[in-house]
Amino acid sequence: MFRHAQLESVKAWIGDPARAALPLHARIQRALRQLILDGAIAAGQPLPASRALARSLAVSRDTVEMAYGQLHAEGFIERRVGSGSFVSGQVQPRRGTRRAAPRNAPALSRRGNALFNAGGVRDFIAPRAFAPGLPETRNFPLQTWERLQRQVLKEHGSRALLHSPAQGMAALRQAIADYVNLERGAHATPERVLVLTSSQQALALCATVLLDPGERIFIEDPAYHGARRAFDAAGLESVPIAVDADGLRVDRLQAATPAARAVFLTPSHQFPTGATLSLERRLAIVEWARRHDAWIIEDDYDSEFHYAGKPTACVQGLDPHERTIYIGTFTKSLFPGLRIGYMVLPPALVAPMTMARTLLDGHSAPIPQLTLARFIEGGHFGAHVRAMRTLYGERRDLLARLVDDHLGDCLRPQVPAGGMQMPCLLVADLPEARAVDAARRAGIDLLGLGDLHAGPAQAPGFLMGFAAHAPDELERAVHGLAGVLRALRR
């Protein structure tokens, strides 16, 4: 018999706003099908006569007949002349399978477990107070970008809607090569540029294309967590090398045995300390890579933002042996939603890296690439970076003063020479992890320095982003953080 609960379930399907786009007979048909699949109407059980069900649902008999007809066509019910409609004996109900826990969890591959256990990379999506790595987007020249995009669509038409070459659009590769040669002292040609969606994708490619699971890679300690997790997920052995005021300790690198297959660096602004790798050490690392036939992975994530003098030439431009992979991104210098990064590769790696990239996401969208190329060629990128460099420098100085004035009993700012975030060391006896959690509950995002070390942090503290926050926002956030830390010290 068709029980009251079953009838109410069908009525709920009919009245559900989320299913309003479906024709009425389809909603009835799917409601009945679900009841059959869940075992609520057992095999061999009769369905109500179409006239009776139509009356109960306040619909026409033709509507119910259409629903029954579709169920019959799909094999869910049998229709017997003179007897009515019955649930087919061929249907195997799945009662309870949605809620029942599997006896054994599905097994992941070793790499799948490594990817899962690495924890991914947590982006600070909203520009909440002190979220590191976020640029100021409210000052971005949207009207200029929109005009350039219209030009792209007018010139390329429907061709801009097709796939990009896997290596990237030629115009953007040319613009990137010209830019890094001029501004970063690189040795780049368009043929050596690979356009990607992010620097994180570049790190994943390096981890899987250049090294085998189990091989060693030297990384800075502390280090960018996204790099460490990409290497861990690829099954590499990440060997930490200490950092001091001049960047990675080359003496430790040279003394480490056995030698690694690669070294990962953030030489312009070491993440998170902000140290700049000295020229002497850059040249020594280039020689180390030549001697050991190793790779240098250079992440130049925010070198555009330096606040005193000219930045040191990139390692790639100092390497005559073509052992350096240079990674750059426009996520920091322009806006996160752009999702365009790139690598400048040694010639021998262009084809392997491009082929590997096709197995990930194929290509980057052509319209943003072509728009960005015009943005760079027209001088708009350089003008925007110069304006943001001034703005960010002012915000850096303001944050340092605010921390000194209102958080001096808890934090000591380490004013960086460049970048978009400031490390602040804890001088009060406060657990770093508890402070990070308490701040997050108060709407403040801090990145704990302890999480960026391979071992215990010698100097616990926080990485505090300042680029995306106006002066009044920084001031309110510092007062808010002061309240959080005071409450923890009670």
Side-chain angles (χ1 to χ4, degrees):
M1 302 246 339
F2 204 66
R3 298 189 300 273
H4 175 73
Q6 296 163 348
L7 180 62
E8 290 303 310
S9 177
V10 177
K11 288 181 178 179
W13 262 80
I14 294 175
D16 187 350
R19 301 183 174 103
L22 289 172
L24 186 56
H25 73 274
R27 279 179 270 168
I28 296 171
Q29 176 257 334
R30 295 189 187 188
L32 293 171
R33 183 179 66 184
Q34 194 64 53
L35 289 170
I36 293 169
L37 288 172
D38 289 345
I41 311 176
Q45 183 175 335
L47 296 180
S50 58
R51 189 185 305 277
L53 183 58
R55 187 165 54 250
S56 299
L57 297 176
V59 300
S60 72
R61 183 184 178 188
D62 286 345
T63 299
V64 174
E65 280 291 336
M66 290 175 69
Y68 279 7
Q70 184 62 31
L71 288 168
H72 180 247
E74 293 176 354
F76 284 96
I77 66 173
E78 299 171 359
R79 309 201 74 178
R80 305 169 191 169
V81 177
S83 299
S85 301
F86 300 81
V87 176
S88 171
Q90 303 299 314
V91 178
Q92 296 296 319
R94 56 188 188 195
R95 185 199 305 269
T97 56
R98 292 183 174 183
R99 294 178 293 275
R103 188 168 298 174
N104 294 306
L108 301 176
S109 67
R110 285 193 296 273
R111 176 158 290 174
N113 276 314
L115 287 166
F116 179 70
N117 293 329
V121 179
R122 185 173 78 90
D123 281 330
F124 292 91
I125 297 174
R128 301 202 316 171
F130 306 132
L134 284 177
E136 174 60 86
T137 56
R138 290 168 292 191
N139 292 34
F140 184 76
L142 275 174
Q143 291 181 333
T144 300
W145 186 268
E146 183 183 17
R147 174 171 57 82
L148 296 175
Q149 184 168 283
R150 286 199 305 268
Q151 291 177 7
V152 165
L153 291 171
K154 184 175 181 180
E155 178 179 334
H156 293 270
S158 60
R159 287 180 290 119
L161 308 181
L162 301 176
H163 284 77
S164 160
Q167 194 175 338
M169 301 299 285
L172 180 57
R173 290 190 285 113
Q174 181 69 64
I176 289 172
D178 292 344
Y179 169 74
V180 296
N181 289 341
L182 178 65
E183 297 293 337
R184 302 296 299 117
H187 290 151
T189 63
E191 294 75 25
R192 296 175 62 171
V193 174
L194 174 60
V195 177
L196 301 167
T197 55
S198 65
S199 57
Q200 191 66 38
Q201 186 181 51
L203 292 170
L205 281 170
C206 288
T208 53
V209 174
L210 302 181
L211 296 95
D212 287 317
E215 289 193 304
R216 288 157 61 91
I217 181 169
F218 291 148
I219 64 171
E220 301 162 325
D221 188 32
Y224 171 54
H225 51 294
R228 188 191 304 276
R229 289 171 183 173
F231 302 149
D232 290 347
L236 309 184
E237 181 187 353
S238 296
V239 180
I241 304 292
V243 169
D244 63 17
D246 289 321
L248 183 124
R249 291 276 304 272
V250 174
D251 58 327
R252 302 277 182 91
L253 176 81
Q254 294 167 334
T257 56
R261 293 276 292 114
V263 59
F264 170 74
L265 304 170
T266 52
S268 294
H269 303 132
Q270 200 279 328
F271 190 96
T273 66
T276 297
L277 188 65
S278 67
L279 178 59
E280 179 184 3
R281 293 189 183 185
R282 291 174 190 235
L283 294 172
I285 291 171
V286 168
E287 176 58 22
W288 172 87
R290 182 201 64 79
R291 192 167 63 252
H292 293 283
D293 198 25
W295 298 107
I296 301 169
I297 302 171
E298 178 181 13
D299 186 359
D300 208 27
Y301 62 100
D302 68 354
S303 64
E304 291 86 1
F305 304 118
H306 52 275
Y307 308 121
K310 294 286 287 183
T312 308
C314 66
V315 174
Q316 193 268 356
L318 302 172
D319 178 8
H321 314 298
E322 297 184 338
R323 307 297 306 174
T324 303
I325 296 95
Y326 178 91
I327 299 173
T329 178
F330 294 98
T331 296
K332 303 288 191 292
S333 53
L334 293 180
F335 54 94
L338 182 58
R339 307 313 300 155
I340 293 181
Y342 59 92
M343 291 195 286
V344 179
L345 297 164
L349 290 183
V350 172
M353 285 287 192
T354 303
M355 190 69 69
R357 190 269 168 91
T358 66
L359 298 174
L360 298 179
D361 60 353
H363 70 106
S364 297
I367 296 173
Q369 288 189 67
L370 293 169
T371 305
L372 176 57
R374 291 181 180 235
F375 194 76
I376 297 172
E377 293 162 357
H380 309 293
F381 178 69
H384 180 67
V385 166
R386 288 191 294 273
M388 292 301 98
R389 189 182 298 145
T390 300
L391 184 70
Y392 295 171
E394 293 169 353
R395 292 180 178 183
R396 176 203 62 167
D397 295 343
L398 174 60
L399 178 59
R401 290 197 301 271
L402 289 169
V403 171
D404 277 335
D405 291 346
H406 303 286
L407 294 167
D409 58 337
C410 296
L411 295 175
R412 184 171 67 248
Q414 308 292 293
V415 182
M420 304 165 67
Q421 50 270 325
M422 180 184 300
C424 293
L425 305 183
L426 268 169
V427 294
D429 185 19
L430 283 172
E432 178 187 291
R434 277 188 61 203
V436 169
D437 289 341
R440 185 174 299 125
R441 290 194 296 272
I444 298 170
D445 282 324
L446 300 172
L447 182 59
L449 295 178
D451 289 340
L452 306 177
H453 286 76
Q458 295 180 350
F462 316 120
L463 198 61
M464 301 173 67
F466 52 79
H469 313 300
D472 60 317
E473 295 167 338
L474 287 173
E475 189 165 357
R476 286 197 303 272
V478 165
H479 285 297
L481 181 58
V484 169
L485 297 184
R486 276 197 302 269
L488 288 176
R489 297 181 71 184
R490 292 191 189 119

